[in-house]
């Protein structure tokens, strides 16, 4: 496992305001290279907002965000484009292009950003499709013909097709059956081992947290309450953290974890 | 992110070793993949040495696997050495995930003409039945609303009038004013040569009130409103909002369609009156400037040359056109299935279909309606 002490993403003093509501204030967070970082917190605590900040979809009101030591809030278009090419994103509902088949969807980044011969592009896209656990028959289907779980996997295939250094997952296992969710976790670990991938995921799936995350970032009260491995997080006395893990569903996982 | 050395293979003849070097990643491997796989006849044992690889990702591992496979196929024995632990793990992961066979797209064979004809006919037949079912549903609920007006969604009904009527005033007024000018200008030149200037009044009056006013308005509204209805209902359909209404036992027809049809039945005739006024004003302007018929004498002669029936003939079309526009718009909205593409296609279809039906209906009206005014 390649671990280094340098943060790959470092967020400092970020403030977000949506409408009149202050979502984050004085939020600080470092994400280390080669780790799987899970972002958790109650609904409405701004997990997705934070993710959108990092993905340059939403500019925070103030603060700084650095990715690969580049300030993404004050960099030129070329640099930001370069950063965009080095990450893959899995959106909560897949966000596959509905006009393209699964294969074309997965091939899309290859076709747009590489000069690989078309035949090779197709083979690599197919490889990613099978790696994400989709049957080959699904390659020629349109997103509208797939079930929710298959959509997720197709979207994952598209997110990893360029072998990104950074992978962002927004609720990757929601809507998957337990077996697929388990397979998803395994795949994530494999990718991390093989590619030294850094993963940031927003999740509510406690078994996924226990299984794959190196560090859990707990959002609450408009900032990061704790960024610790799950075991240590569970020992925290903060009422919000206690409440989050103490529901009837939380208890059983905490015991098993 | 950083600049990378392109992926390279070199063959050492003395040690029968393939040396891999450079960065075997998706961004640096394209040149390597454009060459045919390396082969040699010298030996049967080849060692692949990977110590020189600076970075590898799944694409690189795949390329290496292809190369090794090509050598295996030509009867060589392969052994690997010098690969780092991570690269070996990656290579194995890729090998395990490789699809065994190339999938083919389903039925690339072109279906026969008869098959296509049959399928299209059946599809058309069912879409006709669908349309009739929708029409029936609308008529039934329409009847119920008439019996019990309290069930009407007044808020969305008023919203529709605002959206389709009030907000269309400027565009309808301006365009019909311009049509009036063009019409008067073109026909005025002919009338002038015969000295029949005064007939510009009846010409503009009849043409605008009976035909152009309703037709232009209906076509503009079809473009503005029919498409908006389709897009709105279509997006709701994609969002499962329509299904949500159904599961709550709320009829989407009552909630969404009836207010739209009723609203448009109110607003379209009002817009037609506006179009009539603006069109005649345009004609008046040209009559004054080109044909020496002052505004005063134009307005003085207008009631003598144009009968009330002409105006009514035009206005009566309004509610029918409104039903066509709103009905087609909503119907196409419900036909949207599961993709953003389909919203676009159905929106186009709704505009084309409603304009088509408007012109057909207009042709029917000119046969049915009495021509007392001529």
């Amino acid at each position: 496992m390649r671990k280094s002490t340098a943060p790959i993403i470092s967020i400092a003093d970020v403030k977000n305001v949506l409408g009149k509501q202050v979502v984050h204030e004085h939020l600080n967070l470092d994400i280390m290279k080669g780790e799987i970082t899970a972002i958790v917190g109650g609904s409405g605590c701004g997990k997705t907002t934070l993710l959108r900040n990092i993905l340059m979809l939403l500019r925070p009101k103030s603060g700084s965000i650095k990715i690969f030591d580049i300030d993404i809030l004050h960099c030129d278009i070329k640099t930001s484009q370069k950063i965009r090419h080095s990450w893959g994103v899995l959106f909560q509902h897949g966000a596959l292009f509905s006009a393209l088949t699964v294969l074309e969807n997965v091939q899309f980044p290859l076709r747009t950003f590489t000069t690989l011969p078309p035949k090779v592009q197709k083979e690599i896209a197919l490889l990613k499709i099978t790696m994400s656990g989709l049957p080959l028959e699904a390659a020629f289907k349109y997103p509208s013909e797939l079930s929710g779980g298959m959509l997720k996997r197709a979207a994952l295939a598209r997110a990893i097709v360029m072998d990104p250094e950074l992978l962002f997952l927004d609720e990757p296992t929601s809507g998957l059956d337990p077996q697929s969710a388990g397979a998803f976790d395994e795949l994530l670990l494999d990718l991390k081992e093989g590619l030294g991938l850094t993963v940031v995921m927003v999740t509510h799936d406690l078994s996924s947290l226990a299984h794959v995350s190196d560090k859990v970032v707990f959002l609450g009260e408009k900032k990061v309450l704790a960024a610790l491995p799950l075991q240590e997080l569970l020992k925290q006395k903060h009422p919000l953290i206690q409440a989050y893990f103490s529901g009837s569903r939380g208890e059983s996982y905490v015991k098993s974890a | 992110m950083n600049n990378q050395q392109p992926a390279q293979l070199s063959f050492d003849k003395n040690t029968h070793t393939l040396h891999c070097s450079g960065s075997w990643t998706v961004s640096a491997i394209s040149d390597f993949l454009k060459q045919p796989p390396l082969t040699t006849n010298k030996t049967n044992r080849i060692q692949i040495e990977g110590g020189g690889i600076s970075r590898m990702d799944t694409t690189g591992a795949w390329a290496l696997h292809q190369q090794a496979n090509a050598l295996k196929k030509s009867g060589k024995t392969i052994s690997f050495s010098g690969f780092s632990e991570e690269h070996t793990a990656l290579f194995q992961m890729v090998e395990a995930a490789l699809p065994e066979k190339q999938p083919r797209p389903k039925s690339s064979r072109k279906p026969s003409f008869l098959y296509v004809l049959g399928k299209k006919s059946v599809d058309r037949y069912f879409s006709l039945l669908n349309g009739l079912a929708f029409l029936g549903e609308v008529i039934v609920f329409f009847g119920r609303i008439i019996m019990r007006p309290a069930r009407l969604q007044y808020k969305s009904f008023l919203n529709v009038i605002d959206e389709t009527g009030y907000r269309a005033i400027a565009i309808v007024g301006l365009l019909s004013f311009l049509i009036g000018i063009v019409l008067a200008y073109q026909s005025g030149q002919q009338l002038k040569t015969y000295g029949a200037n005064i007939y510009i009044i009846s010409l503009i009056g009849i043409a605008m009130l009976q035909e152009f006013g309703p037709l232009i308005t209906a076509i503009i509204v079809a473009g503005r409103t029919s498409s908006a209805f389709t897009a709105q209902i279509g997006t709701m359909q994609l969002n499962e909002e329509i299904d949500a209404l159904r599961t709550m036992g709320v009829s989407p027809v009552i909630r969404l369609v009836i207010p739209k049809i009723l609203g448009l039945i109110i607003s379209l005739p009002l817009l037609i009156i506006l179009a009539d006024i603006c069109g005649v004003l345009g004609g008046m302007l040209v009559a004054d400037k080109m044909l020496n018929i002052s505004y005063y004498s134009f307005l003085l002669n207008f009631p003598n040359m144009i009968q009330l029936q002409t105006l009514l003939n035009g206005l009566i079309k309004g509610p029918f056109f409104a039903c066509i526009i709103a009905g087609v718009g909503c119907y196409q909205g419900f036909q949207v299935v599961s993709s953003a593409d389909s919203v676009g296609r159905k929106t186009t279809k709704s505009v084309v279909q409603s304009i088509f039906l408007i012109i057909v209906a207009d042709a029917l009206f000119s046969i049915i309606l009495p021509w007392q005014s001529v």
Side-chain angles (χ1 to χ4, degrees):
Chain A
M1 205 184 293
R2 270 185 284 180
K3 262 193 187 176
S4 64
T5 45
I8 194 166
I9 300 175
S10 104
I11 298 169
D13 204 21
V14 157
K15 178 178 182 180
N16 273 304
V17 182
L18 294 181
K20 281 181 184 165
Q21 189 193 355
V22 179
V23 184
H24 300 134
E25 209 162 14
H26 306 304
L27 187 146
N28 296 293
L29 176 63
D30 281 343
I31 287 167
M32 298 299 165
K33 189 169 165 51
E35 286 191 348
I36 297 183
T37 307
I39 301 178
V40 301
S43 299
C45 70
K47 299 182 292 290
T48 305
T49 307
L50 184 61
L51 201 60
R52 285 170 63 83
N53 281 157
I54 302 174
L55 293 173
M56 302 188 227
L57 291 172
L58 180 77
R59 216 184 153 83
K61 193 101 178 174
S62 64
S64 88
I65 299 177
K66 283 184 181 169
I67 302 180
F68 307 118
D69 254 343
I70 298 165
D71 185 352
I72 59 163
L73 300 177
H74 307 95
C75 67
D76 55 60
I77 293 174
K78 238 181 145 178
T79 323
S80 65
Q81 209 57 16
K82 234 177 167 179
I83 293 176
R84 285 193 177 102
H85 288 173
S86 62
W87 68 38
V89 185
L90 168 64
F91 286 93
Q92 196 174 350
H93 301 287
L96 292 169
F97 306 123
S98 57
L100 305 177
T101 62
V102 169
L103 180 64
E104 286 165 337
N105 259 295
V106 177
Q107 210 181 320
F108 180 83
L110 289 173
R111 210 173 50 211
T112 318
F113 301 120
T114 70
T115 53
L116 295 175
K119 206 173 157 286
V120 175
Q121 287 179 13
K122 194 180 150 196
E123 300 244 347
I124 290 172
L126 283 173
L127 172 69
K128 297 297 155 95
I129 287 172
T130 46
M131 269 170 74
S132 352
L134 274 179
L136 277 180
E137 297 83 69
F140 296 102
K141 286 189 177 158
Y142 284 92
S144 54
E145 299 169 300
L146 298 181
S147 68
M150 285 166 100
L151 274 181
K152 275 262 155 82
R153 277 178 265 182
L156 177 73
R158 186 177 70 180
I160 61 172
V161 72
M162 290 290 282
D163 283 310
E165 291 173 56
L166 253 170
L167 190 58
F168 294 95
L169 311 168
D170 195 354
E171 305 209 6
T173 47
S174 74
L176 293 184
D177 60 84
Q179 194 192 352
S180 315
F184 195 96
D185 290 345
E186 290 304 321
L187 175 66
L188 217 54
L189 287 173
D190 278 352
L191 286 174
K192 189 185 91 164
E193 295 292 314
L195 295 169
L197 205 60
T198 309
V199 182
V200 179
M201 60 192 223
V202 168
T203 189
H204 288 297
D205 183 344
L206 291 169
S207 84
S208 187
L209 274 187
H211 198 59
V212 301
S213 68
D214 293 312
K215 199 181 269 178
V216 179
V217 173
F218 196 97
L219 288 189
E221 296 176 344
K222 298 172 187 170
K223 55 181 193 273
V224 174
L225 287 181
L228 296 165
L230 185 64
Q231 290 304 328
E232 290 169 44
L233 185 71
L234 293 175
K235 292 176 194 140
Q236 292 289 308
K237 290 282 178 282
H238 195 286
L240 271 178
I241 300 176
Q242 285 296 319
Y244 186 87
F245 290 105
S246 65
S248 61
R249 311 186 61 176
E251 294 281 340
S252 59
Y253 278 112
V254 171
K255 271 179 212 140
S256 65
Chain B
M1 288 260 331
N2 319 322
N3 286 334
Q4 297 169 353
Q5 288 289 320
Q8 270 176 344
L9 266 184
S10 58
F11 186 59
D12 188 334
K13 283 173 189 142
N14 302 321
T15 54
H16 305 312
T17 307
L18 270 175
H19 289 283
C20 311
S21 62
S23 167
W24 288 61
T25 60
V26 65
S27 48
I29 205 162
S30 72
D31 288 337
F32 170 74
L33 281 170
K34 279 171 190 157
Q35 303 156 5
L38 208 92
T39 49
T40 174
N41 297 322
K42 293 269 164 60
T43 174
N44 283 329
R45 283 182 166 281
I46 290 180
Q47 197 175 38
I48 298 181
E49 206 276 325
I53 295 180
S54 56
R55 287 186 57 197
M56 185 157 87
D57 65 9
T58 48
T59 307
W62 175 84
L64 192 65
H65 187 269
Q66 291 297 98
Q67 170 69 47
N69 244 7
L71 289 172
K72 266 183 203 161
K73 265 191 191 147
S74 59
K76 310 276 192 279
T77 319
I78 310 279
S79 57
F80 294 94
S81 72
F83 285 90
S84 71
E85 224 171 273
E86 285 152 12
H87 293 169
T88 314
L90 188 64
F91 189 80
Q92 280 162 354
M93 186 168 86
V94 167
E95 197 169 29
L98 264 186
E100 281 152 23
K101 53 179 191 340
Q102 280 286 316
R104 294 261 151 264
K106 317 165 257 192
S107 73
S108 52
R109 209 168 54 107
K110 217 179 142 207
S112 75
F113 171 71
L114 273 180
Y115 172 84
V116 174
L117 183 72
K119 183 160 168 40
K120 286 231 157 141
S121 315
V122 172
D123 284 352
R124 283 285 147 87
Y125 175 67
F126 279 115
S127 86
L128 180 74
L129 287 188
N130 253 336
L132 285 177
F134 179 75
L135 187 66
E137 204 180 344
V138 169
I139 290 173
V140 167
F141 283 116
F142 207 87
R144 286 194 201 166
I145 288 283
I146 302 278
M147 303 297 278
R148 267 198 231 145
R151 287 185 64 189
L152 180 66
Q153 296 289 330
Y154 280 98
K155 208 176 153 205
S156 64
F157 166 70
L158 293 177
N159 232 337
V160 169
I161 294 181
D162 173 60
E163 194 59 47
T164 64
Y166 179 69
R167 281 167 207 273
I169 284 180
I171 183 83
V172 168
L174 177 67
L175 287 186
S176 44
F177 181 72
L178 291 178
I179 296 275
I181 287 182
V182 171
L183 199 64
Y185 186 78
Q186 296 292 347
S187 44
Q189 278 180 326
Q190 304 299 319
L191 293 174
K192 217 169 162 185
T193 49
Y194 296 105
N197 289 13
I198 194 70
Y199 285 105
I200 192 72
I201 299 171
S202 60
L203 202 147
I204 289 293
I206 293 171
M208 275 322 290
L209 300 195
Q210 187 156 298
E211 283 301 329
F212 283 104
L215 202 59
I216 295 294
T217 313
I219 288 176
I220 295 170
V221 171
R224 272 186 96 246
T225 304
S226 189
S227 51
F229 288 174
T230 307
Q232 188 212 339
I233 294 182
T235 313
M236 289 180 76
Q237 181 101 314
L238 287 190
N239 238 346
E240 297 184 316
E241 288 171 55
I242 303 280
D243 296 340
L245 281 177
R246 285 214 173 94
T247 50
M248 289 178 209
V250 178
S251 155
V253 170
I254 284 216
R255 192 78 184 67
L256 299 169
V257 180
I258 301 288
K260 289 188 169 55
I261 294 181
L262 278 178
L264 205 58
I265 285 181
I266 303 287
S267 63
L268 191 64
L270 293 177
L271 284 177
I272 291 178
I273 294 177
L274 174 79
D276 288 348
I277 295 171
C278 292
V280 171
L281 278 179
M284 255 166 78
L285 183 75
V286 174
D288 179 59
K289 297 279 174 270
M290 195 173 92
L291 302 172
N292 298 320
I293 297 173
S294 67
Y295 298 130
Y296 180 72
S297 66
F298 190 102
L299 287 178
L300 201 64
N301 283 306
F302 198 82
N304 302 330
M305 301 180 89
I306 310 291
Q307 295 173 352
L308 180 63
Q309 187 67 41
T310 313
L311 176 69
L312 295 182
N313 277 356
L315 277 184
I316 192 74
K317 298 172 185 174
F320 290 93
F321 288 170
C323 290
I324 291 176
I325 294 168
V328 169
C330 295
Y331 172 69
Q332 291 297 347
F334 284 111
Q335 300 302 304
V336 166
V337 276
S338 63
S339 77
D341 231 20
S342 148
V343 177
R345 235 177 295 128
K346 296 298 174 193
T347 308
T348 312
K349 210 169 176 186
S350 91
V351 175
V352 172
Q353 249 179 26
S354 44
I355 292 180
F356 172 80
L357 288 175
I358 284 166
I359 293 178
V360 170
D362 192 59
L364 288 179
F365 273 116
S366 33
I367 299 168
I368 298 166
L369 291 178
W371 278 73
Q372 298 162 353
S373 50
V374 179

